[in-house]
Amino acid sequence: MTRIDDTFARLKAEGKKAFVGYVMAGDPDFDASLDLVRGLPAAGVDIIELGLPFTDPMADGPTIQLAGQRALEGGMTLARTLELVRRFRETDAVTPIVLMGYYNPIYSRGVPRFLEEAKAAGIDGLIVVDLPPEEDAELCLPAQAAGLNFIRLATPTTDATRLPRVLQNTSGFVYYVSVTGITGAAAAVAGDVGPEVARIKAATDLPVIVGFGIRSPETARDIASVADGAVVGSAIVKLCEDQRPVADILAFVRTLAQGAHSA
């Protein structure tokens, strides 16, 4: 059982849906990012999705791309990202952290070294968007052996033939991308998402969490009502781009979490 598994078991016992909040590590700088991450659990975030800055984030829209650029320009690296997680773990041993990013920085560091460091730092799961199931031996299987959940994305184009392959070595939860395209683009619609979530849940016992296109407490509630939870990223990261104080960002996150938890 990982922290992710424990969190979903607790939420199920409480009759609540999960709220997952995404922030970019090192945006706008290391200290402010650490303050923000440390404040997310008290704002209602059940699972923290921490972006790993990368120079070519092909699945991300402009908001998260710019956040990654700001973090990189501020000196953020994979090592510094893991240091941020270690610092977070000094005061929080419970809240799961999922590292979301791309394979290149992990490959460059070396998979065995990365997994050892990630586990020691307090990472609970990985989402690596540019590693398909055909490459499971590359990182997915070693990560699972190291005790980390490996979380897959399913999309509106993941058909009945592809879905079993996507689910084969997935653990923790399934991340359903509610819209085709990049992050922060179209809006999620519960009426479209519900049947897709039901289709995925018919093929797995894992929780299904929905992200992309959720920008308001109302949408978080509506999406969570047809899934096991909701993810918000770009709407939170945009406040970092606007240089809003951490307290203001956390106040907004609290409204999103309340929306998801009211489903």
Side-chain angles (χ1 to χ4, degrees), residues 55-79:
T55 53
D56 188 24
M58 59 187 179
D60 295 314
T63 298
I64 292 179
Q65 285 188 23
L66 289 170
Q69 290 176 14
R70 291 192 298 271
L72 291 169
E73 289 167 1
M76 206 62 182
T77 61
L78 174 54

Side-chain angles (χ1 to χ4, degrees), residues 8-256:
F8 280 111
R10 173 182 58 80
L11 290 168
K12 184 176 181 179
E14 295 172 357
K16 291 171 64 176
K17 302 300 181 72
F19 179 66
V20 182
Y22 172 99
V23 294
M24 177 65 70
D27 179 39
D29 56 59
F30 184 94
D31 291 338
S33 179
L34 179 58
D35 287 344
L36 178 57
V37 173
R38 281 177 167 166
L40 291 175
V45 172
D46 299 300
I47 298 172
I48 296 168
E49 192 180 335
L50 187 64
L52 175 61
F54 181 53
T55 53
D56 188 24
M58 59 187 179
D60 295 314
T63 298
I64 292 179
Q65 285 188 23
L66 289 170
Q69 290 176 14
R70 291 192 298 271
L72 291 169
E73 289 167 1
M76 206 62 182
T77 61
L78 174 54
R80 291 278 283 163
T81 299
L82 295 178
E83 174 62 21
L84 187 149
V85 176
R86 281 191 291 270
R87 296 277 296 277
F88 172 83
R89 287 288 175 224
E90 293 172 358
T91 56
D92 189 316
V94 176
T95 307
I97 294 182
V98 174
L99 189 67
M100 182 172 186
Y102 298 82
Y103 186 45
N104 183 275
I106 296 170
Y107 176 80
S108 297
R109 198 160 190 82
V111 168
R113 178 186 178 188
F114 165 75
L115 292 175
E116 182 179 353
E117 292 176 343
K119 183 70 174 176
I123 296 290
D124 302 289
L126 303 174
I127 300 175
V128 182
V129 299
D130 55 347
L131 272 184
E134 288 75 14
E135 305 295 336
D136 275 357
E138 196 77 23
L139 179 62
C140 173
L141 297 180
Q144 308 253 38
L148 299 175
N149 289 126
F150 200 88
I151 296 144
R152 289 265 185 234
L153 304 182
T155 74
T157 60
T158 305
D159 61 19
T161 302
R162 183 64 175 167
L163 184 60
R165 192 68 180 265
V166 169
L167 297 175
Q168 184 174 11
N169 292 313
T170 297
S171 65
F173 61 91
V174 179
Y175 187 133
Y176 179 68
V177 176
S178 63
V179 296
T180 54
I182 55 177
T183 58
V189 178
D192 297 334
V193 169
E196 291 297 299
V197 170
R199 179 171 69 91
I200 296 169
K201 289 182 73 66
T204 180
D205 293 330
L206 292 172
V208 179
I209 306 301
V210 177
F212 286 49
I214 303 172
R215 304 186 186 95
S216 69
E218 295 76 19
T219 308
R221 178 199 63 216
D222 293 346
I223 294 298
S225 71
V226 298
D228 295 301
V231 185
V232 177
S234 295
I236 299 171
V237 173
K238 184 66 169 66
L239 298 184
C240 297
E241 179 182 332
D242 295 341
Q243 300 183 329
R244 298 283 291 275
V246 169
D248 289 358
I249 300 172
L250 292 173
F252 175 61
V253 170
R254 189 171 291 108
T255 67
L256 297 168

